[in-house]
Amino acid sequence: MWKLKIAEGGPWLKSGNSHVGRETWEFDPNFGTSEEREAVEAARIEFQKNRFRTRHTSDVLARMQLAKANNFSIDLQKEKDGNPINIDTATVSDILKKALSYFSAIQAYDGHWPGDFPGPLFTTATMIIVLYVTESLTITLSSEHHKEICRYLYNRQNIDGGWGLHAEGESSMLSTALNYTALRLLGENVDDGPDISMHKARKWIHDHGGATMIPILGKVWLSVLGVFDWSGVNPIPPELFLLPSFVPIQPGRLWSHFRMAFIPMSYLYGKKFVGPITRLVISLREELHIHPYKKIDWKEARKLCAKEDAYNPHMWLQECLSDCLYSFGEPFLTRWPISYMRKRALYQIAEFLKYEDENSQYICIGAAQKALSMLCCWIENPNSDAFKRHLARVADFLWVGEDGMKVRVCAGQLWDVAFAVQAILACSIAEEFGSTLKKAHGFIKTSQIMDNPSGDFSRKYRHISKGGWAFQVADQGWQVSDCTAEALKALLLLSKCLSDGADYQTETYCYFDAVNVLLSLQNPNGGYGAWELARTYPWMEIFNMTEIYADIIVEHQYVECTSSVIQALALFREKYPGHRKDEIDQCIRKATEFIEKLQNDDGSWFGSWGICFTYGTWFAIEGLSAVGQCYDDSTCIRKACKFLLSKQLTNGGWGESHLSSRTKAYTNLDGEKSHIVNTAWAMLALMKAGQVERDPAPLHKAARLIMSMQLSDGDFPQEEMIGSFLKNGPLCYMAYRNIFPIWALGEYQKLVFQNYQTSSIKQTNIAPSAGNAALKNSASTTAPT
């Protein structure tokens, strides 16, 4: 059985905080009782049976082990009560107590909440390709790893035989060709798999034009493997790295995640690197293409992209530029003596990647970037200590669920903890869960980044990080604006909101360093990106080469990040009114104006990191409220409330599809289905905007829906993806299904019941059918429905 290990190190690993937050899995055939092993197997069978209807796992393996360590019994059947919900203070308290008890039980001993982080379905395949090319596949992954990865890939295959970009997506050439390749590299035969899955996958590829139709990301990976030819890849010249920093297209000016993929891809392109041409590689050349490999027109192939993948097709200007580089630039740059520039560029890129590896403890900024950097590291020196350190960090990305083992795009340890603290503090019974909060507090403090990147980091295109927080663990070292803001908020609230707040005090310099990071990240327009300042121009997006994503070239500014910073600085200003007062005041003012300007005509805000308009609108209202704006004096907030109320479904909830992000138009889930997290966000936004005082009926309906969805052990159901990135990349935050129902119900209980309990109106119980008309006579312990 697979065993989850928390905060453990190992050979070739270094850490600045004893590996706090690290999550790895180890197979131990003797681990667990026979009943537990049977429960895990039952969960796997159940998921496999329902995989086309229920696309996401419930993280049964991890949560079962965490709960056992905390002496809590999880109900794996997870049935709902089914009885009608009476909305009264006793019922809400019981629901919250069950929810908090369960949530506390799945907290790791180091203070964070471990969990899966599903996203793109091709990241597992890219890691497999790197391990195969570097001849590290059997060294790094055991036969049990192989078994679970194959289980995962088969479970994620669509009915038509292909794989989508994500678990809820229609089949795409990128994921299908790469996942088919990964299964073959793992030892699967051409007709293996349940229900001849490999044959179905190959048929899907052939029916859609063969692997020459794969987007450029896939072209690069298949070229590395030797299943595609580099002459079929649009140029990615490494010489761009030699350009002065003031040139807009200099890679150092690009968005951090794209930069950290583009630079190693340009290294691979510059070397035209191809791994060992094995018998399996030769076979894949015939399996993936519809024409004989030697007869493929590679010049034509470089322009091809399957319509299923072409979310962001190339513009004519980009096509012209690629043609010029392909026909004239590449031949010129590879001829002596000009070829010296390429040699120099490749050397500088290798040094740059080495710097990034060392400053992220070989975790890198994400899974895709790690796979690329690890391959470049091996090419430079296959026997180096650096490559051994890379291999040791592969385990940080592997996660086991009932669907199998996958490579996560990253993890979100700090992000989840910061939100979890705020959710618990929203509850009137927060003091009863003091041990949970203290562990979370310790995790946040220990996870603060204590140093800037080494050396002259600005010349390596890095920003200050000392005092910030990363999305995941401190060792990774990449500061994020909203993670820093939410962590700072959590620390300030812990010291302010609890009766034993003195136990949650943090050294003042930790607060001050965090504020330094936040102030340094504001752009001239007042907005905040995620990782860095915007370093190039929005028009640079016309050079987006990825086809599958949008807004990937530039560090854009977001309503969510900007709101988080406003809230954190406003809270900090209360505690330290004299510290950098003028700068903080100006920062908040400009950030507020930025949010106001982003509002859409219908009153919503587009959310870039969550689904989607509900998420963005919640953040915007929170940010505007933090500076004192309210429904009565803010046109923005009034329009936002009208928007949210117009999207409430008849069952009282909200249910927004990931298609909202893709199409940039509000889209409901199929069948007008509610989503528990969307509903919680909408409740939080409306409550912050004073909906309780105006008309609490919509909140009562939403609260009733959330409470009715609680499972028997206090958990809430895992539903559709609720996170997003780059418009076309949904993510699944596993802890959100616990955090936000708790947060919304906690605020609901305080605002609704405490309001009524402190009023002088004598109230009586209200039956569920009484409706809003009974508000004036509601009981002191009961709210109308």
Side-chain angles (χ1 to χ4, degrees), residues 500-699:
D500 58 345
D503 294 340
Y504 295 95
Q505 293 300 325
T506 302
E507 293 82 356
T508 301
Y509 70 84
C510 293
Y511 295 137
F512 289 0
D513 286 347
V515 169
N516 292 342
V517 171
L518 294 179
L519 292 176
S520 73
L521 284 168
Q522 188 173 40
N523 288 282
N525 65 358
Y528 278 80
W531 283 267
E532 300 167 331
L533 293 165
R535 295 174 176 174
T536 192
Y537 307 100
W539 56 261
M540 282 286 295
E541 291 293 348
I542 63 176
F543 299 112
N544 180 0
M545 56 188 276
T546 65
E547 295 123 341
I548 61 172
Y549 294 128
D551 294 347
I552 195 172
I553 300 293
V554 182
E555 176 73 84
H556 293 275
Q557 290 84 59
Y558 311 102
V559 63
E560 306 103 297
C561 298
T562 308
S563 171
S564 289
V565 173
I566 289 174
Q567 295 173 61
L569 291 180
L571 202 57
F572 174 85
R573 188 168 57 181
E574 290 180 17
K575 189 176 179 71
Y576 301 100
H579 182 74
R580 301 185 70 173
K581 181 181 184 302
D582 291 342
E583 294 168 86
I584 290 174
D585 289 347
Q586 183 182 23
C587 174
I588 290 175
R589 178 182 55 78
K590 290 176 64 179
T592 303
E593 292 171 355
F594 174 82
I595 288 178
E596 291 172 336
K597 290 175 183 176
L598 277 187
Q599 189 174 31
N600 298 316
D601 291 339
D602 65 359
S604 69
W605 280 266
F606 184 90
S608 297
W609 300 101
I611 308 296
C612 164
F613 294 97
T614 318
Y615 187 68
T617 303
W618 167 53
F619 266 100
I621 288 178
E622 290 278 1
L624 297 178
S625 298
V627 296
Q629 293 191 22
C630 65
Y631 186 91
D632 292 334
D633 62 19
S634 171
T635 303
C636 289
I637 290 180
R638 286 197 297 274
K639 288 173 62 180
C641 290
K642 183 179 179 181
F643 165 79
L644 289 173
L645 291 171
S646 74
K647 301 302 180 184
Q648 188 172 25
L649 302 171
T650 53
N651 65 2
W654 282 259
E656 192 177 357
S657 167
H658 71 84
L659 295 176
S660 290
S661 298
R662 182 181 173 90
T663 64
K664 302 179 186 178
Y666 190 98
T667 307
N668 281 319
L669 291 168
D670 289 343
E672 300 277 292
K673 179 181 179 292
S674 290
H675 194 296
I676 195 169
V677 179
N678 270 140
T679 302
W681 288 338
M683 280 187 69
L684 287 166
L686 289 169
M687 287 186 290
K688 181 63 71 171
Q691 187 67 32
V692 172
E693 290 78 15
R694 290 189 302 280
D695 177 11
L699 300 174

Side-chain angles (χ1 to χ4, degrees), residues 689-722:
Q691 187 67 32
V692 172
E693 290 78 15
R694 290 189 302 280
D695 177 11
L699 300 174
H700 300 323
K701 290 177 68 177
R704 179 186 294 282
L705 176 75
I706 289 178
M707 291 193 292
S708 70
M709 294 178 74
Q710 188 177 47
L711 304 175
S712 55
D713 57 5
D715 194 8
F716 291 94
Q718 179 61 52
E719 299 180 292
E720 290 82 1
M721 284 184 162
I722 202 66

Side-chain angles (χ1 to χ4, degrees), residues 8 35 69 97 100 268 309 327 376 481 500 528 538 550 559 566 609 649:
E8 293 194 16
E35 291 80 6
K97 192 158 190 174
L100 286 166
L268 297 172
D309 297 68
S327 300
C376 295
S481 65
D500 58 345
Y528 278 80
V559 63
I566 289 174
W609 300 101
L649 302 171

Side-chain angles (χ1 to χ4, degrees), residues 692 694-698 700-701 756 766-778 784-785:
V692 172
R694 290 189 302 280
D695 177 11
H700 300 323
K701 290 177 68 177
Y756 295 136
I766 300 301
S769 61
N772 190 47
L775 175 60
K776 294 180 180 178
N777 295 312
S778 59
T785 60

Side-chain angles (χ1 to χ4, degrees), residues 359 448-454 457 463-468 477 479:
N359 278 276
Q448 190 172 26
I449 301 169
M450 303 310 294
D451 292 297
N452 290 318
S454 62
F457 56 87
H463 193 80
I464 67 167
S465 57
K466 181 182 179 181
Q479 76 296 327

Side-chain angles (χ1 to χ4, degrees), residues 92 95-96 99-100 103 415-428 486 489-490 493 564 567 615 618-619 622 676-677 679-685 687-688 706 716 735-751:
V92 178
I95 293 282
L96 279 172
L100 286 166
F103 194 47
W415 182 247
D416 285 345
V417 173
F419 271 156
V421 166
Q422 294 174 70
I424 296 170
L425 290 176
C427 303
S428 60
E486 297 296 339
K489 276 172 59 184
L493 287 170
S564 289
Q567 295 173 61
Y615 187 68
W618 167 53
F619 266 100
E622 290 278 1
I676 195 169
V677 179
T679 302
W681 288 338
M683 280 187 69
L684 287 166
M687 287 186 290
K688 181 63 71 171
I706 289 178
F716 291 94
Y736 276 18
R737 75 181 197 253
N738 302 104
I739 291 171
F740 288 104
I742 290 171
W743 197 340
L745 291 178
E747 294 288 358
Y748 172 79
Q749 185 185 41
K750 285 194 301 186
L751 291 173

Side-chain angles (χ1 to χ4, degrees), residues 24-286:
T24 54
W25 289 87
E26 176 184 84
F27 184 77
D28 181 350
N30 299 316
F31 177 68
T33 65
S34 58
E35 291 80 6
E36 289 167 345
R37 288 194 286 271
E38 288 173 6
V40 168
E41 191 58 32
R44 288 169 172 161
I45 293 171
E46 184 70 12
F47 180 85
Q48 195 274 336
K49 183 172 65 176
N50 298 305
R51 67 189 185 281
F52 298 126
R53 185 172 69 250
T54 304
R55 300 299 294 170
H56 303 291
T57 70
S58 295
D59 247 355
V60 168
L61 278 73
R63 292 187 170 207
M64 185 175 71
Q65 293 179 37
L66 292 163
K68 182 180 180 181
N70 288 315
N71 299 311
F72 185 92
S73 178
I74 281 185
D75 178 9
L76 293 179
Q77 300 303 314
K78 293 178 177 285
E79 296 179 355
K80 299 177 187 177
D81 189 334
N83 295 323
I85 297 292
N86 290 319
I87 303 185
D88 55 58
T89 187
T91 302
V92 178
S93 293
D94 288 345
I95 293 282
L96 279 172
K97 192 158 190 174
K98 282 180 65 177
L100 286 166
S101 296
Y102 175 88
F103 194 47
S104 296
I106 59 171
Q107 184 184 28
Y109 77 89
D110 69 352
H112 85 284
W113 278 267
D116 197 359
F117 191 59
L121 286 185
F122 54 83
T123 51
T124 300
T126 60
M127 190 68 76
I128 297 300
I129 289 172
V130 170
L131 293 175
Y132 180 85
V133 168
T134 61
E135 301 177 342
S136 308
L137 191 57
T138 56
I139 297 172
T140 308
L141 305 178
S142 67
S143 60
E144 290 295 333
H145 285 88
H146 285 222
K147 176 182 174 182
E148 288 303 319
I149 293 172
C150 289
R151 184 200 306 275
Y152 167 73
L153 293 174
Y154 285 133
N155 272 332
R156 291 303 172 189
Q157 189 175 21
N158 291 332
I159 293 175
D160 63 6
W163 282 264
L165 287 178
H166 52 86
E168 296 175 30
E170 301 295 326
S171 295
S172 71
M173 184 61 74
L174 178 63
S175 291
T176 304
L178 291 183
N179 286 331
Y180 176 89
T181 299
L183 284 165
R184 293 286 282 123
L185 299 181
L186 288 166
E188 297 295 283
N189 293 316
V190 292
D191 291 319
D192 277 352
D195 192 25
I196 57 170
S197 299
M198 295 294 284
H199 173 79
K200 288 170 66 177
R202 196 164 56 254
K203 184 177 185 304
W204 191 97
I205 293 169
H206 290 177
D207 289 348
H208 291 79
T212 53
M213 303 296 290
I214 199 168
I216 189 169
L217 296 180
K219 286 177 165 66
V220 168
W221 282 114
L222 293 183
S223 296
V224 162
L225 185 61
V227 181
F228 207 88
D229 195 278
W230 279 108
S231 61
V233 180
N234 273 326
I236 316 172
E239 288 81 6
L240 293 176
F241 197 77
L242 300 177
L243 293 172
S245 59
F246 61 80
V247 178
I249 203 167
Q250 212 282 349
R253 300 186 65 171
L254 307 181
W255 178 51
S256 56
H257 270 259
F258 181 71
R259 175 171 82 240
M260 294 312 303
F262 179 88
I263 290 175
M265 281 198 299
S266 72
Y267 176 92
L268 297 172
Y269 180 86
K271 280 188 171 285
K272 303 295 192 297
F273 171 79
V274 180
I277 305 301
T278 63
R279 183 178 302 174
L280 177 55
V281 169
I282 294 172
S283 180
L284 281 167
R285 288 178 174 180
E286 305 307 316

